[in-house]
Every structure is written in C-alpha cells, then in structure tokens.
C-alpha cells in the first residue's frame, strides 16, 4: 500500500481535499469527526492507495461528501465550526511528503472584506482612471522620422 498524492485548501465552512489517483476503483472514503480515511486501487500500475489523516479540527461527518472523477477523488469536509481557519490539514505539524497545499484554489478568506479592495483591485482601478491614448500630451519631434534616436548619441566615458 502507498499513500495517494493529496492536495488541500481551506474555506470558511469547509476544507477541500483531493486525492490524486487516476482511474480509481474500489474507492472507500470514511469521514469521522477528527479523522479521514481514504483507500482505492488505481493509477497506471493499479496500486493500492491508502491515506489516514488525523484532522486539524473537527468536521461534521454526516455533511461531508466525496466525488470520484477519472483523475482524482475530491472530498468536501464540512467544518464542525464554520469560520475557523485551518492553518494545516493535519493535527500534527509533521511534514508529509504526499500532502501539499492546493495553491491554485487557496484563498486567505480571513483577511478579505467587501469594503477593502485588494492590491490588485486598487491597481486595476487606478489604471482605469488614467487617461487614454487621446489624453497624452504632444511631444515635439515625436512623429518626426528624421530625428536622431537618443541611442545614436555618443555616451560619455566612464571614470
């Protein structure tokens, strides 16, 4: 038995876990209040995979669900206490070589608020408020093809 490569991310009311096993068969997912058990047969070599995760905090096993796809088994773990951030998936701080954060879906939801624009939103708003092409000032000689490029001037010697 080997552990399946696993990615996870946190949201306000749930934690999402993806067991990355292609063409999985005999999938078994067991949700407990403080534990997640996963097993299946799959991958190119039809290997047996098993992951047992002691969870960082409690979940609601009755409200947690999983879905199998051709590429993975995706689990939604409903938090017992919504609104509480999970800094990691596991109870222990031990680094597990098969477990990683899903940075494509990660979101720092604790910090976000509707009144507070993110840096990217502020930058986009600033760019939209700037004048367009027609508002640029005229520059003498800008359209004159016969003027010498500034690159053609001789540079002074360095001392």
């Amino acid at each position: 038995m080997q552990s399946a490569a696993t990615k996870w991310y946190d949201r306000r009311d749930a934690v999402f876990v993806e067991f990355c096993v292609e063409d999985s068969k005999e999938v078994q997912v067991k949700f407990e209040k403080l534990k997640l058990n996963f097993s299946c047969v799959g991958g190119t070599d039809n290997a047996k995979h098993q992951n047992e995760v002691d969870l960082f905090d409690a979940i609601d096993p009755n409200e947690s669900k999983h879905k199998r796809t051709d590429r993975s088994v995706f689990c939604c773990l409903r938090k017992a206490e919504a609104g509480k951030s999970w800094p990691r998936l596991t109870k222990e701080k031990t680094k597990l070589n098969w477990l990683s954060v899903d940075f494509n879906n990660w979101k720092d939801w604790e910090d976000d608020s509707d009144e507070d624009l993110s840096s990217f939103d502020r930058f986009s708003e600033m760019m939209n408020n700037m004048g367009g092409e027609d508002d640029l000032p005229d520059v003498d000689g800008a359209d004159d093809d016969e003027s010498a490029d500034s690159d053609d001037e001789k540079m002074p010697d360095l001392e």
Side-chain angles (χ1 to χ4, degrees), residues 64-101:
S64 299
K65 300 176 179 1
H66 76 279
K67 180 180 180 179
R68 183 204 162 280
T69 68
D70 289 341
R71 303 193 69 168
S72 63
V73 177
F74 193 74
C75 301
C76 173
L77 311 178
R78 184 69 57 189
K79 291 180 179 179
E81 188 178 334
K84 185 176 179 185
S85 173
W86 286 25
R88 61 186 178 276
L89 179 64
T90 59
K91 181 179 178 181
E92 301 296 324
K93 287 186 177 182
T94 310
K95 172 76 173 136
L96 302 170
N97 62 356
W98 50 266
L99 181 63
S100 64
V101 172

Side-chain angles (χ1 to χ4, degrees), residues 106-120:
W106 190 266
K107 179 180 176 187
D108 287 330
W109 52 264
E110 288 183 308
D111 302 335
D112 68 2
S113 73
D114 292 338
E115 302 106 48
D116 209 11
L117 290 174
S118 70
S119 305
F120 180 77

